[in-house]
Amino acid sequence: MAAIAESLFQGAWVLLLCGSVLVVSVAATVFQVRRRPLAGAGREPERSDQLFWDLFLGSAVALPALLIPTLSSPVAGLFLAGAAVASGIAAYRGSPRIAARLSARRQSRKYLPLYTAAQAEHSMLLERWRRYELDPAYCIDFPAMTDVRLPHTAAVIKAMREAEQLRAARHQEYPPAVERFGRALAAAEQAAGISAQGH
């Protein structure tokens, strides 16, 4: 009786181990094969035999994981084959979402330093602008900077609002919007007769 229990226990462990390896290898292979077309042509140079190697490596792992339990129990092999097919279908259907998520994460990592630098520049530009609104001496000396009827000042207000909205949304267009705000502010200062050394 103890020998039968031990044999069942070992069989369950083999089935669990081989099943896990099989399901993961099939899902990873399907995802890898499907990911390349989803990434878009021309994104990175592909070797012509890459599909073959993806399938070969996936098969080299998946086939032994399927054959070993099948030799001891055809029923277990049938069960594992079904699990492999299910994991392949799930990977095929889920790969666009996963690829999009990975791409978004990659873009976010690339974008973060630009966003941080834009935030610092934006804060400096806002400080520069607030002098014309809050400092009475600047208001008296440069009234054009707060007169929104003037085209240059109106352009500053428009660029400033756009940058604020994109900053709140953490949009990828935020750094270019900060650059536009800086150029608009410099143009308005120049039109008002403020020298570059004045700020």
Side-chain angles (χ1 to χ4, degrees):
M1 193 67 156
I4 294 173
E6 186 178 342
S7 173
L8 286 173
F9 183 72
Q10 286 177 347
W13 269 111
V14 169
L15 187 65
L16 183 63
L17 178 64
C18 289
S20 301
V21 170
L22 178 65
V23 165
V24 169
S25 64
V26 168
T29 303
V30 169
F31 175 74
Q32 184 65 13
V33 169
R34 183 125 158 85
R35 180 186 68 90
R36 296 185 189 286
L38 290 172
R43 190 166 162 257
E44 58 184 32
E46 299 283 351
R47 298 201 314 261
S48 59
D49 59 347
Q50 190 64 51
L51 177 63
F52 167 78
W53 286 111
D54 288 341
L55 292 172
F56 176 77
L57 291 173
S59 301
V61 176
L63 286 177
L66 178 61
L67 291 176
I68 290 169
T70 303
L71 292 175
S72 61
S73 168
V75 175
L78 191 61
F79 171 76
L80 288 179
V85 169
S87 71
I89 291 170
Y92 183 84
R93 294 182 71 184
S95 53
R97 266 195 321 274
I98 296 169
R101 197 175 302 142
L102 291 174
S103 175
R105 191 177 298 165
R106 207 168 28 247
Q107 290 289 344
S108 176
R109 278 199 302 266
K110 215 186 295 182
Y111 172 67
L112 190 60
L114 293 173
Y115 184 86
T116 306
Q119 275 187 312
E121 178 69 17
H122 192 184
S123 297
M124 288 183 355
L125 290 170
L126 287 173
E127 281 300 314
R128 202 163 111 200
W129 168 254
R130 285 188 188 115
R131 291 182 314 182
Y132 303 113
E133 288 187 315
L134 304 177
D135 189 324
Y138 276 91
C139 287
I140 293 168
D141 291 341
F142 309 108
M145 291 301 293
T146 52
D147 188 352
V148 293
R149 294 170 299 178
L150 298 172
H152 289 294
T153 308
V156 171
I157 300 297
K158 182 180 175 186
M160 184 168 42
R161 282 185 185 150
E162 180 191 19
E164 283 293 336
Q165 288 169 352
L166 292 171
R167 180 183 196 169
R170 295 186 70 87
H171 197 277
Q172 290 191 350
E173 283 299 308
Y174 173 60
V178 172
E179 286 180 26
R180 289 193 292 274
F181 176 30
R183 286 196 300 269
L185 182 56
E189 287 173 331
Q190 187 178 8
I194 303 166
S195 64
Q197 291 80 15
H199 52 74

